[in-house]
């Protein structure tokens, strides 16, 4: 079974940093793109970042460009989301996701419907 385990969330002050990890198992990790999404209370799930199967292409939503960096270590079957200069509006539950049809991040990478498999999420709270 495909499993995605996101971790690394927590409480951080504005301007602080966190690194989220997504440990994957049950599929050929280096064959598929990985997406990161987030969902704040009362809001729709939104795409944050996407990285292609070999890590050569990365994508970000505009509001996190220059602050967040996505990466992956295919040998460890783990993806990462490095988050710097965090803002209160970054507060949300963060999810990693993948789909067996996605080797690269398509033009609709930020749409939740593009991805089939989801982890349980990890909560990030940015507050003073």
């Amino acid at each position: 079974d495909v499993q995605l385990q996101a971790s690394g969330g927590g409480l951080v002050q504005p301007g602080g940093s966190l690194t989220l990890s997504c440990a994957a198992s049950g599929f050929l990790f280096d064959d598929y793109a990985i997406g990161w999404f987030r969902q704040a209370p009362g809001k729709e799930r939104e795409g944050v970042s996407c990285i292609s199967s070999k890590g050569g292409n990365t994508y970000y939503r505009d509001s996190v460009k220059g602050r967040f960096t996505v990466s992956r270590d295919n040998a460890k079957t783990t993806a990462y989301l490095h988050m710097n200069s965090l803002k209160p509006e970054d507060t949300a539950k963060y999810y990693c996701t993948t789909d067996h049809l996605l080797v690269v991040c398509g033009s609709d990478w930020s749409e939740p419907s593009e991805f089939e498999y989801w982890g349980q999420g990890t909560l990030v709270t940015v507050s003073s």
Side-chain angles (χ1 to χ4, degrees), residues 66-88:
R67 300 189 297 122
F68 290 12
T69 303
V70 64
S71 64
R72 63 191 295 160
D73 185 336
N74 285 349
K76 295 182 178 179
T77 66
T78 301
Y80 305 94
L81 186 67
H82 311 276
M83 306 185 296
N84 296 319
S85 303
L86 282 161
K87 304 176 181 180

Side-chain angles (χ1 to χ4, degrees), residues 23-67:
S25 62
F27 64 104
L28 295 175
F29 183 77
D30 56 356
D31 278 356
Y32 304 117
I34 295 291
W36 283 97
F37 283 71
R38 66 187 181 187
Q39 188 166 19
K43 295 188 176 181
E44 293 186 352
R45 191 167 296 190
E46 61 184 21
V48 176
S49 183
C50 186
I51 184 168
S52 60
S53 61
K54 301 301 188 282
N57 297 98
T58 57
Y59 301 84
Y60 302 92
R61 69 179 298 107
D62 287 345
S63 63
V64 307
K65 285 180 180 177
R67 300 189 297 122

Side-chain angles (χ1 to χ4, degrees), residues 86-108:
L86 282 161
K87 304 176 181 180
E89 51 263 43
D90 295 318
T91 295
K93 198 164 191 179
Y94 284 70
Y95 300 85
C96 55
T97 180
T98 193
D99 189 281
H100 71 283
L101 296 178
L102 291 178
V103 178
V104 296
C105 305
S107 57
D108 293 331

